[in-house]
Amino acid sequence: MRYLEDYLLTDYLAAKKSLASTLHKIEQAIISLEEKQSAGRNMKAQLTLSKERVKALKISLALIDREITRMS
């Protein structure tokens, strides 16, 4: 298991870019799921899962930003 101290600034920057991209894609998927839900399809489980993923990604990005600030 690697500790936070074992990662380089470049590792954090790459992870941030990847997670931000994933976050954007999930947020776009949520819009699509909400449209389907409005059209009468049951998308509740997918919406809940996607929203939980958004929350987890935002927490991860905040922690990465904190570590980038600490290292800079």
Side-chain angles (χ1 to χ4, degrees):
M1 181 171 146
R2 292 184 75 173
Y3 295 97
L4 290 179
E5 299 83 29
D6 294 337
Y7 295 104
L8 302 173
L9 179 59
T10 54
D11 295 325
Y12 285 108
L13 293 171
K16 181 179 176 179
K17 182 178 178 182
S18 178
L19 292 175
S21 173
T22 301
L23 175 60
H24 177 74
K25 290 174 185 174
I26 294 173
E27 288 173 333
Q28 294 301 307
I30 288 173
I31 292 169
S32 176
L33 290 169
E34 286 173 339
E35 289 170 356
K36 290 176 182 176
Q37 180 86 10
S38 294
R41 294 179 58 191
N42 183 6
M43 308 306 287
K44 186 175 179 182
Q46 291 89 336
L47 277 166
T48 300
L49 179 61
S50 294
K51 289 177 181 180
E52 288 299 315
R53 286 179 176 160
V54 164
K55 189 186 310 181
L57 286 167
K58 286 182 177 182
I59 291 169
S60 299
L61 286 165
L63 292 172
I64 287 171
D65 279 337
R66 183 186 302 171
E67 196 62 18
I68 288 171
T69 300
R70 187 189 68 78
M71 295 177 83
S72 298

